[in-house]
Amino acid sequence: MGVCMERKGLLIVVSGFAGSGKGTMMKRLVEEYEGYALSVSMTTRKPRPGEVHGREYFFVTKEEFEQKIREGGLIEYAPYVENYYGTPREYVEKQMAAGKDVVLEIEIQGALKVKKRFPDSVLIFVLPPSVEELYRRLKNRGTETEDVIRKRMSRAAEEASMIGRYDYIVINDGVEESVRKLHSLIEAAHSSPGGNEEFIRGIRDGLEQLWKGEK
Amino acid sequence: MGVCMERKGLLIVVSGFAGSGKGTMMKRLVEEYEGYALSVSMTTRKPRPGEVHGREYFFVTKEEFEQKIREGGLIEYAPYVENYYGTPREYVEKQMAAGKDVVLEIEIQGALKVKKRFPDSVLIFVLPPSVEELYRRLKNRGTETEDVIRKRMSRAAEEASMIGRYDYIVINDGVEESVRKLHSLIEAAHSSPGGNEEFIRGIRDGLEQLWKGEK
């Protein structure tokens, strides 16, 4: 009547406005805590200086990407500004089977697709502490014109209407604290009944055996 | 454009098998952490030696209880072994309005009723680490006959089929760790989009104003 407590890996989907700091949070999460694997996306866009194949992205041709789609080798994918972006299935499944929580960074439409296909996945939306702070962060990057910043803010306003579809939000008002928060939300997600079916079944079977006096 | 961060109190419903240790966990939770209020149930059963009106229960007559029902003064109630048990609404609402998380201990049927009426409530089911351990705990109480213990185990077997309706489970294999776990699940529940509607609305409005160049 021993109960199997092996922990199933979860699919963790993180989204957030440009400038919310989600990328940094995810990197830190994987560095600071055990048991996580960061999913690497596949894209047809060209690598920027310093970007490494297999680290920032898997850089492939349009033909290779479309081949992957046909093979069913992507969990989700979407075109974005004339390029494809997608999540290779194989790596994710391998890591989850090994008990790792796999963290994906994807935008909202992709996140909702993942949730539909993997109802046990956990959707987390990262928010800035305020609109002023978001504007400041985008401005401080120094790489975008005022016009681009305005476009990002307008996109964020649209995205904000979808936050209700997420499981959790994290307000990023300091990377230290928000990484800790992110980790504890994922811990909580491991406590759902769906993630503990085997354990619950074990208890149930044990109780029934005992009740019938088989023990 | 300041964003209101006032924290809304949550309704936390805890259930679990007899012998799961849920009662002790809840008492410890309220003692060790700030911001909790333990709901006190109303019952028509007679007080046992040592039980205090307003601490273990509000002890009332059948007439008083039925009056409460008619007034809509109970969040949920149920008859159990010729007595009524119920949760007075007034205390719960007052504490939640003051930002406290109110913890209720009720059985499964009551818990599901509460969830229906208060979709933001958080349902937590406490489980023993194993069936053997549950049996040992019931046995060690020394107050129940073997026959009563068997009945409780059979009831637990039935209850186990409903655990999937809960938001979270906690496996109680040590009170210290499981109280910490309980607290962190409640913290996570505060990070749902539903519990942060005002904040999200504030961000959204701020973004729209900025986008329209009103600032």
Side-chain angles (χ1 to χ4, degrees), chain A residues 14-31:
Chain A
V14 180
S15 308
F17 308 146
S20 65
K22 59 185 184 302
T24 311
M25 277 171 61
M26 288 167 66
K27 240 181 261 167
R28 292 283 288 272
L29 178 77
V30 175
E31 281 166 18

Side-chain angles (χ1 to χ4, degrees), chain B residues 20 53 55 71 91 97 111 117-118 122 131 136 138 140 170-171 176 191 214:
Chain B
S20 65
H53 180 78
R55 192 181 66 187
E71 291 169 7
Y91 176 82
R117 279 176 84 162
F118 303 88
V122 183
V131 170
R136 204 173 307 130
L138 288 172
N140 284 349
V170 176
I171 299 166
E176 214 59 62
S191 298
E214 285 170 20

Side-chain angles (χ1 to χ4, degrees), chain A residues 1-3 5 17 127-132 134-135 150-154 156-158 160-161 163-171 173 181 184-185 187-193 196 199-200 202-215, chain B residues 1-3 5 17 127-132 134-135 150-154 156-158 160-161 163-171 173 181 184-185 187-193 196 199-200 202-215:
Chain A
M1 221 159 65
V3 167
M5 288 278 294
F17 308 146
L127 284 164
S130 69
V131 171
E132 290 82 349
L134 185 69
Y135 182 74
R150 270 186 190 275
K151 272 187 194 140
R152 302 214 156 194
M153 303 290 270
S154 119
E158 275 171 49
S161 65
I163 298 173
R165 310 276 292 273
Y166 279 66
D167 296 303
Y168 297 114
I169 65 160
V170 176
I171 299 166
D173 50 4
K181 195 78 184 274
S184 86
L185 291 177
E187 283 298 298
H190 276 284
S191 298
S192 75
N196 293 275
F199 178 78
I200 295 169
I203 290 276
R204 203 173 153 183
D205 292 348
L207 284 166
E208 277 170 5
Q209 280 165 31
L210 206 68
W211 171 45
K212 292 179 190 148
E214 285 170 18
K215 215 197 129 170
Chain B
M1 223 159 62
V3 166
M5 289 279 295
F17 309 145
L127 284 164
S130 69
V131 170
E132 291 83 349
L134 184 69
Y135 182 74
R150 270 187 188 275
K151 270 186 195 141
R152 302 215 155 191
M153 303 289 270
S154 121
E158 275 171 49
S161 66
I163 298 173
R165 310 276 292 270
Y166 279 66
D167 296 302
Y168 297 114
I169 65 161
V170 176
I171 299 166
D173 51 4
K181 194 80 185 271
S184 86
L185 291 177
E187 283 299 297
H190 276 284
S191 298
S192 75
N196 294 275
F199 177 78
I200 295 169
I203 290 276
R204 203 173 152 183
D205 293 348
L207 284 166
E208 277 170 4
Q209 281 166 32
L210 204 69
W211 171 44
K212 292 179 190 147
E214 285 170 20
K215 212 194 133 175

Side-chain angles (χ1 to χ4, degrees), chain B residues 20-97:
Chain B
S20 65
K22 59 184 184 300
T24 311
M25 277 170 61
M26 287 168 66
K27 238 181 263 170
R28 292 282 289 273
L29 178 77
V30 175
E31 280 165 19
E32 288 174 24
Y33 295 93
E34 303 240 323
Y36 290 109
L38 207 55
S39 160
V40 177
S41 296
M42 186 170 276
T43 184
T44 56
R45 82 151 165 78
K46 299 276 161 289
R48 295 180 192 140
E51 286 186 337
V52 176
H53 180 78
R55 192 181 66 187
E56 277 78 13
Y57 286 98
F58 294 109
F59 297 100
V60 298
T61 63
K62 198 173 168 228
E63 289 66 39
E64 288 168 318
F65 199 101
E66 287 170 345
Q67 178 61 26
K68 267 279 175 215
I69 297 175
R70 280 193 298 272
E71 291 169 7
L74 299 170
I75 283 180
E76 57 77 43
Y77 69 93
Y80 183 68
V81 198
E82 309 207 349
N83 279 301
Y84 280 127
Y85 291 79
T87 304
R89 172 187 300 280
E90 196 188 344
Y91 176 82
V92 169
E93 290 184 345
K94 219 151 93 183
Q95 295 294 329
M96 282 171 69

